[in-house]
Amino acid sequence: MTQTNSPSTPTPGMQSIHVPAAHDPAADTDPLLHLHKMSTTAGVGNEDYVAVNVTAVVAVLFGLASLLAVFNTVLLVFPVVGVILSLIALHQVSNSNGTQTGKGLAILGLVLSGIITAGIFCVQGAQALHRRADQEALAALCRKYGQLVVEEKYDQAYDLFDSDFKDRVSKPAFAARLISIQHRSDLPPMSAVEWNGLAEFHSGDNGAQTADAVIKIHYKGITGEDREAAHFRQTAGGPWLIDNLPDQFPAIKAGEQPR
């Protein structure tokens, strides 16, 4: 029986002959064919898709809308909601395992809402302090007026009124009117004048302010009190003055004698 040698096993005394692979002419024109075992998905993204967090975008919008709260305190709901949405967006992005982005937007919304809210509260706080000073000035003015009337220092009491009042009421008519009030038969003399603590303030031109309020009139020997309307005015940089006490000076004009 004839024994044949396996092609893979060289016969002793014979040299191994390398047979080159068949040449592919297409390799000369297509360099990609030289790449060994190139993946058919090469060039396709291997990372997961990263989405922008929608809550962060909405938080920025609410942050911008917070500017509307400058015009009306009711609209403070915008910055408050903006802060809440920003915090929620930061939490969502941090816990998304890299599948969401938008941390910068969330921080921007938080900054916008936070700064605007803080600014509004600072302005309102300053206005409240200023208004408190105005209220204290009105209270002191009313007490001073009552004290001067009780002491019958009518000239000094007249100086507590503004120029508009003085154009309507002369000093003699002013003093005569208060004398008639302090010596009328139906009521005892006034013993004190107080502000009731409530006033409606209005801003006018050139920094002037006005206030509509009510004063309490106390009388000697009587436990009760009367309440009368009072109007005050403050010019820019000036003190608060009485503009009118219509119940005490209803229709007195310059040069006119009291009724």
Side-chain angles (χ1 to χ4, degrees):
M1 182 173 62
T2 304
Q3 183 178 2
T4 60
N5 293 328
S6 172
S8 61
T9 303
T11 304
M14 294 181 60
Q15 295 183 353
S16 176
I17 300 174
H18 174 70
V19 181
H23 176 69
D24 187 356
D28 295 334
T29 59
D30 191 354
L32 294 178
L33 293 179
H34 291 291
L35 299 179
H36 179 66
K37 294 182 179 180
M38 181 176 178
S39 172
T40 58
T41 60
V44 179
N46 293 323
E47 297 181 356
D48 294 335
Y49 175 71
V50 179
V52 177
N53 185 273
V54 177
T55 307
V57 177
V58 178
V60 173
L61 296 178
F62 270 87
L64 295 174
S66 299
L67 292 171
L68 298 175
V70 175
F71 305 101
N72 194 326
T73 54
V74 176
L75 299 179
L76 279 171
V77 64
F78 284 107
V80 172
V81 174
V83 170
I84 295 174
L85 291 177
S86 297
L87 296 176
I88 293 175
L90 287 173
H91 178 75
Q92 291 176 343
V93 173
S94 299
N95 292 275
S96 66
N97 295 324
T99 60
Q100 291 185 0
T101 185
K103 184 176 181 180
L105 292 175
I107 294 175
L108 177 60
L110 183 63
V111 170
L112 287 174
S113 298
I115 290 178
I116 293 173
T117 302
I120 291 174
F121 280 117
C122 287
V123 171
Q124 289 182 342
Q127 291 176 343
L129 291 176
H130 186 270
R131 187 60 69 212
R132 186 172 184 178
D134 292 336
Q135 293 171 343
E136 292 175 353
L138 293 184
L141 180 60
C142 292
R143 290 194 300 267
K144 185 66 173 178
Y145 172 71
Q147 178 184 352
L148 292 174
V149 170
V150 171
E151 296 174 356
E152 298 184 355
K153 296 179 180 180
Y154 302 128
D155 289 349
Q156 296 182 33
Y158 187 72
D159 293 335
L160 300 179
F161 288 76
D162 64 7
S163 59
D164 288 346
F165 178 85
K166 293 176 180 178
D167 290 339
R168 299 190 304 267
V169 182
S170 67
K171 185 180 291 187
F174 176 82
R177 176 62 178 168
L178 287 179
I179 291 174
S180 66
I181 291 176
Q182 290 295 82
H183 295 86
R184 58 187 176 181
S185 58
D186 57 332
L187 279 175
M190 290 188 296
S191 61
V193 177
E194 293 180 332
W195 175 49
N196 75 336
L198 300 176
E200 185 176 351
F201 291 91
H202 307 278
S203 297
D205 298 333
N206 301 323
Q209 292 190 94
T210 59
D212 299 326
V214 174
I215 57 174
K216 297 184 294 185
I217 309 295
H218 300 274
Y219 300 94
K220 292 181 180 180
I222 297 179
T223 56
E225 62 189 29
D226 282 342
R227 293 176 180 261
E228 299 180 357
H231 306 291
F232 304 91
R233 184 187 304 274
Q234 181 193 43
T235 57
W240 279 98
L241 297 172
I242 302 173
D243 178 62
N244 195 18
L245 300 175
D247 293 325
Q248 296 185 14
F249 306 94
I252 300 179
K253 299 180 180 180
E256 181 183 352
Q257 293 299 321
R259 294 178 295 176

